Structure formats: structure tokens, C-alpha cells
Amino acid sequence: MKKFITAQLTKSGFRKLLKQLSEHTALSYPEIAKRSGVHFTTIYNGLRPTPADDRKQVRVSTVRKLADGLGFQITLRGNYVNLHPERAQRKVSPARDSLESFGKEIADLLRSLGYKQVSRKERYRIRELIRLMLKT
């Protein structure tokens, strides 16, 4: 499977992009339209071949909306667009910070003691406090 999808910002390129997105995500065209928030008639018109498809331009906002809705990152290069899977969908390496899991345990402990939710910022502060305690 390719790491990214490339297409030209013309109607024929948009058709190619939709076919590759459908293969990559294993979604039907109506489901792609529903998840991305693009009206299905836009998808249908992009799939329907007409004369002069190579000259008709597709709006960047349409491609951007498709990419955002399906979890792809968009890169524009002239008249070409590349779609990369978002970083959130890629494998995430184990905790970079050795104290991160310890900070999460403390956050869980605080939640069990009555705090409703501990934010990311508060977990960061907890890790910093632990570092300070370990230095002294």
C-alpha cells in the first residue's frame, strides 16, 4: 500500500483521487461523502466522465475537506495534491518521557480521590514536580 496519494487538481485527477481514497480507506463513495462533509453530488460529478476533464479545475477547499474528514494530511505542490495519512493514525512510539506513565498513574490516583478530570497541562505539571523532587 502506498504511503500517500497523489493527484492533479483537475476533474480527471479528482476522479483518480476518489478511486484511490476508496481503495485506501475501504469506504464506498456515499460513505466518503458522509464522513468528509462533502455533498454526494460533488462526489458523483467528480466520478462522472465528461469532455475536457483535464482542463476543469477542482477547488482546493473540496480536496481539503475530503482529506480532513477522512484523516489525511494535505500537501499542495503547484497543481498537484498529496494526501498523507495523519500522524495520529500512525504507530505511536512508547512513552518518550520515562515519567509520563508515572504522571498518568498519579493523575488516575487524583481522579479516584475526587478530581473529575486531570488535563494534559496538569499531567505535565505533575511530571515536572516529580523531576524537581528527584533532583533534591
Side-chain angles (χ1 to χ4, degrees):
M1 187 179 291
K2 289 182 181 180
K3 292 186 179 182
F4 60 89
I5 299 170
T6 303
Q8 196 171 10
L9 284 172
T10 59
K11 191 172 173 186
S12 61
F14 186 65
R15 186 178 316 112
K16 177 183 167 190
L17 177 79
L18 287 170
K19 288 180 182 178
Q20 289 178 350
L21 276 173
S22 180
E23 291 171 6
H24 185 79
T25 60
L27 296 172
S28 65
Y29 296 125
E31 187 64 25
I32 288 174
K34 185 177 177 182
R35 288 191 184 189
S36 64
V38 174
H39 199 273
F40 181 69
T41 56
T42 305
I43 304 289
Y44 174 74
N45 286 331
L47 292 171
R48 189 179 58 195
T50 57
D53 279 351
D54 291 333
R55 292 191 306 263
K56 291 184 181 178
Q57 296 292 311
V58 175
R59 291 182 182 175
V60 176
S61 60
T62 303
V63 177
R64 190 175 307 274
K65 201 169 184 182
L66 273 172
D68 290 342
L70 296 175
F72 284 85
Q73 190 175 28
I74 186 169
T75 308
L76 295 171
R77 301 261 164 119
N79 199 29
Y80 286 86
V81 63
N82 293 331
L83 299 181
H84 303 273
E86 287 278 356
R87 293 182 190 267
Q89 292 182 347
R90 294 183 186 161
K91 279 191 173 180
V92 179
S93 60
R96 290 173 278 162
D97 189 355
S98 59
L99 296 176
E100 186 171 355
S101 60
F102 191 57
K104 285 181 181 178
E105 288 177 21
I106 291 175
D108 290 337
L109 175 68
L110 289 172
R111 269 190 231 111
S112 69
L113 293 174
Y115 285 95
K116 289 188 178 184
Q117 189 174 4
V118 181
S119 68
R120 179 188 288 180
K121 196 179 238 184
E122 289 169 331
R123 284 195 306 261
Y124 176 77
R125 288 180 188 158
I126 291 169
R127 285 197 308 266
E128 291 304 312
L129 285 171
I130 294 169
R131 278 196 187 90
L132 286 173
M133 290 182 346
L134 289 173
K135 283 183 180 180
T136 57

